[in-house]
Amino acid sequence: MKLYGYYRSSCSYRVRIALNLKGIEVEHVPVHLVRGGGEQFAPEFVTKNPMAQVPLLELDSGEVLAQSVAIVEYLEETVPTPALLPRDPYQRARVRALVEMVNSGIQPLQNSLVLKELTKRNVDSTDWARLFVRRGLEALEHTAAGTAGRYLVGDALTLADVYLVPQLYNARRFGVDLAPFPTLLRVEAACLSLPAFDRARPERQPDAEP
Amino acid sequence: MKLYGYYRSSCSYRVRIALNLKGIEVEHVPVHLVRGGGEQFAPEFVTKNPMAQVPLLELDSGEVLAQSVAIVEYLEETVPTPALLPRDPYQRARVRALVEMVNSGIQPLQNSLVLKELTKRNVDSTDWARLFVRRGLEALEHTAAGTAGRYLVGDALTLADVYLVPQLYNARRFGVDLAPFPTLLRVEAACLSLPAFDRARPERQPDAEP
């Protein structure tokens, strides 16, 4: 399989973590989201993914999968061990709710396309990103206070952790003060002590820039 | 079970459709997102959902579930018939990718909180909403052209259809020209001919306003 991604894209980072946790080796194909106006808009990439976004997983059959949630659920279904979702339906739903608090509740409001459109309209895009990241992390911290053990939901790693760590990476890029989120920081430290998370870090990728 | 929702909220609309398709009766509790600055910010609601968002599903145990994706996946797992995801993992992933193209790719950029923050910053929020709805629907139409039969993925209803119909409702509210999306319009018509979709329409809800 091939993963089209970008070292700094938090959505690519999620998929890298999930692949590492599952022990799946893939070929990494870098798509530079800034250089030359963005390689994701190149016709040969848009043919593969009309949303012009990474990550994109290309299966050995040549079939492609977009959207990090669809990709990680696919990995969970096809490589069930180690499980990244609990067995109980209600607990699975709690994990998925935390995933979506990041996936649809925070990240879309601070992605590079949105920030570019805000700048065009004379809006301070960093201020905007901070507002929505902070608001989302507040809700996540509040929810996590009721669900967390060593990880975000109890003591076993789940997809919620896979989504948390890249979002905190983005929060730091925007200069969000993370002191009000002690549960999230504690879980992040536990995750980053694992090789699967550490190897997925943006700065460890071959396309990382200084 | 109780569903906290708002007639015009497209995320509530998705959950109403899924409940109807599964034949699950719930008590509907309206949360008015505009009146008095928004009932979703009332302390008793924020205690239930720190994101201050609808839909929120309250189980008979009193446990609550937020985030439409987490809710519909929970319904799919606990009431498997009729299935709203295909059996094959790759086909399931294609459905989930279409779901996320709406759930994280379009809706978050045009929800009422975001539009309010844009207005505060002197940005034309309708123009903004149209841009992102149009962009998302273009990608959806392009993808659907390769996956659709009677419905968005083949000839069986899936969660992708459950997400499409409320997003087209929103697109009309923002005055987006839908003529460039013939596949989406054809699938929408097929969906709305089904009682489960028809009964879920905003204008059919008890809290609907003239």
Side-chain angles (χ1 to χ4, degrees), chain B residues 86-201:
Chain B
R87 282 201 176 183
D88 174 71
Y90 178 65
Q91 294 302 326
R92 292 164 77 83
R94 289 179 99 176
V95 170
R96 287 186 173 121
L98 288 162
V99 163
E100 290 297 347
M101 285 169 79
V102 173
N103 184 61
S104 66
I106 306 178
Q107 197 281 338
L109 296 166
Q110 51 95 93
N111 76 27
S112 57
L113 185 76
V114 168
L115 300 188
K116 209 184 283 181
E117 289 293 336
L118 288 165
T119 304
K120 270 193 211 166
R121 289 163 175 78
N122 298 314
V123 174
D124 180 336
S125 68
T126 305
D127 175 68
W128 173 276
R130 280 181 193 154
L131 169 73
F132 283 99
V133 170
R134 198 182 298 119
R135 186 175 178 276
L137 293 182
E138 278 165 8
L140 211 56
E141 173 73 22
H142 189 280
T143 307
T147 60
R150 177 167 174 83
Y151 299 110
L152 265 190
V153 180
D155 291 324
L157 257 182
T158 68
L159 290 176
D161 306 298
V162 170
Y163 277 66
L164 171 69
V165 169
Q167 188 59 60
L168 291 178
Y169 165 80
N170 274 359
R172 287 193 186 88
R173 281 184 68 198
F174 296 122
V176 173
D177 174 18
L178 297 178
F181 312 116
T183 314
L184 306 184
L185 289 174
R186 178 175 60 69
V187 170
E188 181 195 37
C191 290
L192 286 173
S193 72
L194 304 172
F197 281 77
D198 186 59
R199 281 195 294 126
R201 292 172 87 130

